[in-house]
């Protein structure tokens, strides 16, 4: 009796509230749900975004709200539609998300990741490229690559990414079809045999941090091969992709020489993944102003951010702009904040907030925080 | 002098001549050379206070501040006469004339400095408070209108609302929309002009960009404040061209420009409210110059005992 009442109550609630959709599967989202929020399951969220993927400030907010919700927005729906209608026998289609700072590129990508997870894509997701190339904590592990001359390895970052890859594709990696095509010899004693499962390769990379970068190289090669052979579909998502093309990184070799991004072995691996010489996959990258230093933030357009080199590397691609909130999106967002008791006060507040934040999602979030 | 007709020579001409003959780069205008009648330059002095026998003229001389206490004395006397008058009227069973009541909303008591100047005596804060107390007492009496001149002598009118008279009529463009342009919106080092179009949709254009021209929230709020205050947000379009200065100066200039332009589109009550809110007041403050011998305009070097 009690549970029924509760169920009725919840149904009433979901009917009355206009900012939340009960459609939890991104594949089912359509134009009707634009501007509405949907909740991601807690465990799934941990699995997909446990090692990054959601912006830090957004993570904080989800912790406050005790739920992870994403707004269904047009750019994500557009890409989903495109993916649905893609012929997977053709070379991969590359989508570039671009937009002003804080307009929701990363969250659009998060939405797409959820979609990809649901559609059983093999997810290759780089949460934030600048984490590797631009962020230099006190002890950044760096080593000259033992296998490739003149390259720099970031073994710890690579291992962390492998762990991320493993958690994101937990279920898919158990699939016995995903096998290695050739034998890899790491050292005299260590090698991975031909026909071993992909998971073994990944675990080796995590356990033997020294080889992590080479493992990633091999992994990329194998994933491309597997996709070509129709063993799996692959969804490549790289946030802050334009960092790969900014002429300098903030890394320094032990001899104090600054490192160009091409010289980092991780860069080459992921750049081969974004070429369109393979099939049965989707590539989504973002061009973000925040991923490059301030001297190169004049425009948010991909041509400017990716430089000529990156533009030619990606060309042809599908540019998708992530814009500011529309009127409706803004109102649903405001009512969501009100529902979470995050925003209080008179209703004229919304008008003012709309103008002060200029409908920029991040700015709006920032402004609401102290209210 | 200087080819001018001495018959129609005014103070203004004198000032101009002095400025020409004694050019001065002194920072403080008050310290520059001037030529004015001595009454304007030097404050009044007290007249001789004793007769031949050496006795003071004034009966309150030994209070030390004869003029001030004379004023209080007069006030007390006024109160007494008013009381007496009131008693008389009550005995006749009449009521005070409601039409003759004093209009005190448009004026305020003169300040302490002005009172000092008119009395030619220094007075303390406490004495000034006493003065105000006594005057308020007189005003609160029902027949205070009978001593109107006495009260008026110590009141001055509030700042006149100059703008109320000269609000420009908006012009109309091809689309039939009313628009008004305010030129010379100044604040700190920023200069610009603001155009307001009504009716509009709330679009704000600053140097061809929207409100994101300003990065920080405070500047955006500054720009929006007059619109929010006058409840015109979303009803008018605003276009600004602004240059010079930094974000806060530019936003302040735009704020004033919008408020000044909005006068043509709001009603009188709102106009007064805007005036009270300080939206129509120009902010003339500028950067204060650095002084030699100290690190900033006011900042002094760290004090060290030895």
């Amino acid at each position: 009796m009690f549970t029924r009442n509760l169920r009725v109550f919840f149904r009433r609630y979901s009917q009355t509230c206009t900012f939340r959709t009960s459609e939890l599967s991104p594949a089912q989202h359509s134009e009707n749900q634009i501007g509405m929020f949907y909740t991601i399951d807690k465990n799934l969220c941990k699995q997909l975004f446990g090692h990054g993927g959601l912006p830090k400030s957004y993570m904080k907010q989800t912790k406050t709200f005790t739920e992870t919700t994403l707004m269904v927005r047009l750019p994500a729906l557009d890409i989903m539609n495109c993916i649905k209608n893609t012929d997977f026998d053709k070379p991969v289609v590359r989508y570039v998300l671009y937009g002003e700072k804080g307009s929701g590129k990363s969250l659009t990508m998060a939405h797409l990741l959820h979609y990809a997870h649901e559609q059983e894509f093999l997810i290759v997701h780089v949460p934030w490229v600048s984490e590797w190339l631009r962020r230099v904590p006190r002890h950044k592990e760096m080593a000259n690559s033992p296998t490739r001359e003149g390259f720099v390895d970031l073994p710890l970052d690579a291992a962390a990414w492998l762990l991320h890859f493993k958690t994101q594709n937990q279920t898919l990696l158990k699939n016995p079809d995903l096998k290695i095509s050739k034998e890899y010899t790491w050292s005299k004693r260590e090698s991975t045999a031909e026909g071993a499962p992909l998971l073994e390769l990944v675990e080796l990379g995590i356990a033997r941090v020294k080889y992590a970068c080479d493992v990633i190289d091999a992994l990329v090669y194998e994933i491309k091969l597997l996709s070509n052979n129709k063993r799996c579909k692959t969804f490549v998502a790289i946030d802050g992709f334009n960092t790969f093309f900014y002429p300098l990184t903030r890394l320094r070799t032990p001899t104090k020489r600054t490192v160009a991004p091409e010289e980092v072995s991780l860069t080459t691996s992921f750049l081969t993944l974004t070429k369109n010489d393979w099939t049965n996959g989707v590539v989504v990258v973002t061009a973000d102003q925040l991923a490059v230093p301030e001297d190169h933030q004049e425009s948010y357009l991909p041509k400017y951010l990716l430089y000529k080199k990156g533009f030619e590397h990606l060309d042809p691609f599908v540019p998708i702009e992530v814009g500011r909130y529309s009127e409706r999106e803004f109102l649903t967002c405001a009512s969501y904040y009100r529902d979470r008791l995050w925003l209080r006060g008179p209703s004229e507040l919304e008008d003012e907030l709309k103008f002060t934040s200029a409908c920029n999602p991040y700015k709006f979030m920032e402004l609401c925080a102290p209210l | 002098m200087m080819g001018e007709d001495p018959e129609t020579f005014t103070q203004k001409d004198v000032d101009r001549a002095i400025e020409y003959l004694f050019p001065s780069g002194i920072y403080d205008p008050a310290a520059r050379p001037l030529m004015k009648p001595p009454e304007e330059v030097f404050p009044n002095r007290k007249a001789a206070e004793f007769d031949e026998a050496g006795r003071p003229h004034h009966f309150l001389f030994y209070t030390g501040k004869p003029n001030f206490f004379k004023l209080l004395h007069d006030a007390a006397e006024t109160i007494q006469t008013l009381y007496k008058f009131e008693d008389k009227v009550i005995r006749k069973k009449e009521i005070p004339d409601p039409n003759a009541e004093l209009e005190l909303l448009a004026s305020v008591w003169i300040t302490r400095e002005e009172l000092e100047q008119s009395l030619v005596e220094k007075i303390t804060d406490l004495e000034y408070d006493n003065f105000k107390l006594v005057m308020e007492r007189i005003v609160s009496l029902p027949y205070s209108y009978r001593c109107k001149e006495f009260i008026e002598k110590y009141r001055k009118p509030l700042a006149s609302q100059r703008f109320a008279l000269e609000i420009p009529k908006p012009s109309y463009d091809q689309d039939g929309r009313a628009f008004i342009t305010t030129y010379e919106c100044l604040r700190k080092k920023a200069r610009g002009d603001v155009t307001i179009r009504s009716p509009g949709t709330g679009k704000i254009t600053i140097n061809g960009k929207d409100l994101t021209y300003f990065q920080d929230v405070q500047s955006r709020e500054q720009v929006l404040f007059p619109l929010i205050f006058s409840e015109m947000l979303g009803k008018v379009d605003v276009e600004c061209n602004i240059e010079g200065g930094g974000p806060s100066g530019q936003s302040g200039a735009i704020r004033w420009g919008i408020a000044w332009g909005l006068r043509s589109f709001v009603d009188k009550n709102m106009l007064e409210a805007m005036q009270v809110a300080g939206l129509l007041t120009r902010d003339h403050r500028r950067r204060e110059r650095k002084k030699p011998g100290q690190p900033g305009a006011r900042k002094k070097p760290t004090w060290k005992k030895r």
Side-chain angles (χ1 to χ4, degrees), chain A residues 111-339:
Chain A
H111 191 181
L112 288 170
L113 278 178
H114 188 190
Y115 170 79
H117 177 80
E118 207 144 80
Q119 300 291 309
E120 298 193 330
F121 278 89
L122 185 74
I123 297 173
V124 181
H125 174 222
V126 181
W128 191 233
V129 176
S130 303
E131 186 82 13
W132 297 340
L133 300 187
R134 301 212 63 80
R135 185 156 167 267
V136 186
R138 194 172 294 166
H139 303 293
K140 182 101 171 171
E141 189 82 16
M142 280 182 56
N144 286 330
S145 174
T147 48
R148 284 186 287 176
E149 193 62 35
F151 278 83
V152 175
D153 273 355
L154 303 171
L156 281 184
D157 288 325
W161 183 80
L162 282 173
L163 193 65
H164 180 56
F165 176 77
K166 193 180 138 192
T167 36
Q168 277 193 330
N169 302 299
Q170 278 166 3
T171 44
L172 220 58
L173 283 177
K174 283 174 192 141
N175 184 353
D177 273 357
L178 300 180
K179 281 192 187 121
I180 299 174
S181 62
K182 62 178 182 184
E183 188 185 342
Y184 291 95
T185 316
W186 308 111
S187 66
K188 260 184 204 166
R189 282 183 224 142
E190 286 163 305
S191 67
T192 314
E194 184 187 336
L198 203 60
L199 188 62
E200 200 184 307
L201 189 69
V202 175
E203 269 168 359
L204 180 114
I206 298 168
R208 299 283 292 131
V209 174
K210 192 180 162 191
Y211 305 125
C213 283
D214 296 325
V215 166
I216 288 182
D217 232 19
L219 189 67
V220 165
Y221 175 76
E222 293 298 331
I223 286 171
K224 275 171 113 173
L225 212 63
L226 286 171
S227 310
N228 279 336
N229 298 340
K230 300 271 184 281
R231 295 284 174 76
C232 64
K233 309 182 277 182
T234 310
F235 183 87
V236 180
I238 301 179
D239 205 346
F241 185 68
N242 51 329
T243 315
F244 284 139
F245 300 103
Y246 188 77
L248 276 181
T249 65
R250 290 181 58 189
L251 303 175
R252 274 160 188 270
T253 54
T255 53
K256 301 285 175 202
R257 187 175 60 83
T258 48
V259 180
E262 308 90 73
E263 292 172 317
V264 182
S265 50
L266 285 174
T267 311
T268 46
S269 331
F270 284 99
L271 285 189
T272 49
L273 204 56
T274 49
K275 276 185 194 157
N276 62 346
D277 55 358
W278 54 294
T279 57
N280 204 7
V282 182
V283 176
V284 182
V285 299
T286 64
D288 202 325
Q289 274 170 300
L290 292 171
V292 287
E294 273 175 12
D295 60 351
H296 197 69
Q297 295 190 357
E298 281 154 37
S299 159
Y300 62 86
L301 296 174
K303 194 179 172 190
Y304 173 79
L305 283 177
L306 288 170
Y307 288 91
K308 196 175 175 214
K309 205 170 129 206
F311 196 82
E312 276 166 8
H313 176 85
L314 281 181
D315 197 50
F317 61 84
V318 185
I320 299 215
E321 180 170 9
V322 184
R324 300 178 189 169
Y325 279 151
S326 66
E327 191 94 340
R328 190 172 148 204
E329 282 170 339
F330 182 85
L331 285 179
T332 50
C333 188
S335 49
Y336 174 64
Y337 283 161
R338 279 197 187 273
D339 173 67

Side-chain angles (χ1 to χ4, degrees), chain B:
Chain B
M1 195 200 281
M2 304 199 49
E4 301 269 353
D5 180 18
E7 295 298 319
T8 58
F9 214 62
T10 58
Q11 181 61 44
K12 222 173 172 181
D13 297 315
V14 175
D15 289 344
R16 224 179 59 233
I18 293 289
E19 204 184 330
Y20 175 75
L21 291 170
F22 304 103
S24 170
I26 295 179
Y27 185 73
D28 189 2
R32 293 180 191 158
L34 54 87
M35 190 164 89
K36 273 180 185 167
E39 307 87 68
E40 283 179 29
V41 182
F42 302 107
N44 295 349
R45 295 230 194 107
K46 278 189 175 181
E49 287 162 335
F50 306 96
D51 61 5
E52 290 91 20
R55 287 192 299 184
H57 287 303
H58 205 286
F59 74 108
L60 285 171
F61 174 79
Y62 289 108
T63 57
K65 288 172 185 175
N67 292 348
F68 175 70
F69 286 107
K70 177 81 186 350
L71 168 61
L72 293 193
H73 183 84
D74 290 347
E77 212 157 284
T78 316
I79 292 175
Q80 290 306 323
T81 49
L82 287 179
Y83 279 152
K84 268 183 201 151
F85 183 76
E86 197 180 346
D87 287 346
K88 221 165 27 179
V89 174
I90 288 170
R91 242 175 274 137
K92 282 187 184 168
K93 298 209 168 76
E94 279 175 27
I95 49 163
D97 182 9
N99 295 331
E101 229 171 272
L102 278 178
E103 282 281 341
L104 292 177
L105 286 172
S107 56
V108 285
W109 297 116
I110 57 173
T111 61
R112 207 186 95 187
E113 285 75 29
E114 285 160 338
L115 187 64
E116 278 176 351
Q117 219 159 38
S118 71
L119 296 176
V120 206
E121 272 166 11
K122 287 260 172 273
I123 56 172
T124 62
D125 279 340
L126 183 69
E127 282 162 346
Y128 179 68
D129 288 345
N130 286 342
F131 156 76
K132 274 208 328 202
L133 209 67
V134 164
M135 297 311 273
E136 291 289 347
R137 168 81 68 82
I138 296 179
V139 168
S140 68
L141 294 177
Y143 296 98
S144 55
Y145 59 83
R146 288 180 58 84
C147 49
K148 196 175 172 190
E149 297 94 76
F150 180 71
I151 296 171
E152 293 286 295
K153 221 163 50 177
Y154 298 102
R155 291 187 76 85
K156 61 167 182 188
L158 273 174
S160 58
Q161 298 185 339
R162 174 173 66 87
F163 60 86
L165 304 171
E166 45 189 69
I167 294 174
K169 284 265 173 292
S171 16
Y172 291 84
D173 58 5
Q174 307 99 312
D175 312 336
R177 291 205 297 171
F179 76 97
I180 201 150
T181 308
T182 315
Y183 297 100
E184 286 187 19
C185 307
L186 320 173
R187 168 86 220 277
K188 285 188 173 179
K189 291 253 173 175
R191 274 96 192 78
D193 55 81
V194 174
T195 310
I196 294 182
R197 288 175 201 282
S198 170
T201 52
K203 220 175 91 182
I204 298 174
T205 323
I206 305 168
N207 284 358
K209 278 187 171 185
D210 61 349
L211 206 56
T212 46
Y213 178 79
F214 293 118
Q215 302 278 327
D216 47 342
V217 179
Q218 184 179 346
S219 308
R220 293 184 189 181
E221 284 280 4
Q222 285 281 308
V223 172
L224 290 176
F225 180 58
L227 295 168
I228 294 170
F229 186 82
S230 59
E231 290 160 12
M232 296 294 261
L233 197 63
K235 291 178 194 163
V236 290
D237 286 350
V238 180
E239 280 164 42
C240 322
N241 291 311
I242 191 100
E243 57 182 24
S248 72
Q250 293 193 342
S251 59
I254 292 175
R255 175 184 126 157
W256 180 83
I258 292 175
W260 200 250
L262 276 178
R263 292 176 312 158
S264 312
F265 300 107
V266 296
D267 57 2
K268 201 162 173 230
N269 287 343
M270 183 51 74
L271 202 63
E272 263 163 34
M274 280 166 83
Q275 162 86 359
V276 171
L279 280 168
L280 302 174
T281 319
R282 271 268 286 116
D283 191 347
H284 286 284
R285 290 175 299 171
R286 303 297 305 271
R287 195 190 83 93
E288 190 174 332
R289 62 159 289 194
K290 181 195 172 296
K291 314 291 182 306
Q294 56 195 49
R298 302 283 172 94
K299 174 91 172 70
K300 306 292 181 297
T302 316
W303 184 79
K304 237 180 139 190
K305 203 170 179 185
R306 57 189 60 83

